[in-house]
Amino acid sequence: MEKTKYKSVQTKQRAAGWIFLLPATILIFIMSFWPMIRAFIMSLQTGSSANMRWAKPLFWNYTRMFQDKKFLLTMGNTFLYLIIQVPIMLVLAILLAQLLNNKDLKCRGLFRTMVFLPCATSLVSYALIFKSLFATQGLMNTILKNLGFIHANINFLGTTSTARAIIIIALIWRWTGYNMVFYLAGLQNIEYSVYEAAKIDGANGWKTFWHITVPLLKPTIIMTFIMSINGTLQLFDESVNLTKGGPSFTTMTMSHYIYNNAFGTGVANFGYASAMSFVVFILVAILSFINMKVGDTRD
């Protein structure tokens, strides 16, 4: 009798749990998973938005993109930003967090706010600021000419190498403070007694940082790395607002090219754009999986 009552109570608890989860589950499916399913179906179709039909062969959009030199160029641009910007940004973020976590540092709150402030700037606003700074008649050209480093104005945003460098600098400037906040939160969860024990054992600042701080922050480092990979592979605003993808697509990102195919060229090529979007999704999933596996030290 008691076992029957216990089972009935368990059944009611499970039913109550599912009832509470059901609204959120339905919303997540409608708002996230259903659009993903529809996008995959659309990636197997061709034609304009009003006249979509199944592609022949079915995966033609996927084979087409790897013959598309512009898409391959935008993929290379995106990975260039990822390889250069993400490690620099995360190293700067963890070093700044370590510096601003010092309890003896005066005005810590002010310095933390100053580092985080770029993140509070809107994406369009900060892109326009960098665009005006590095314009042909902008402040950077004026400063460099007055210091005697250059004799004629440089077209920073119209030259491939400098335009890519400016996008990388802009990304580092904006997102370093954002990642620093995560590292600060992680550092504040580390017991100060651990550092005191390291000092007693004779460990200097570098050894303490490398052998204590970094290992204890590993979960946070993995999380920020995955978020940074995800964000960089979907990079859009900087490419659109700073360089418009020029010169000759050499600074355009994959997301910018996908947008152009879906909305920006006058022909709504939703099938091809959906296929490219799924490639970005697969790249994010693969790189995140690799990062989690490399960072997982459990046996």
Side-chain angles (χ1 to χ4, degrees), residues 169-183:
I169 291 166
L171 289 168
I172 292 169
W173 178 80
R174 189 173 195 278
W175 294 110
T176 298
Y178 177 80
N179 289 285
M180 182 200 70
V181 171
F182 290 103
Y183 294 136

Side-chain angles (χ1 to χ4, degrees), residues 6-21:
Y6 177 72
K7 285 183 180 179
S8 64
V9 169
Q10 262 194 333
T11 305
K12 287 179 181 178
Q13 287 176 341
R14 286 174 182 171
W18 279 110
I19 289 167
F20 282 112
L21 284 172

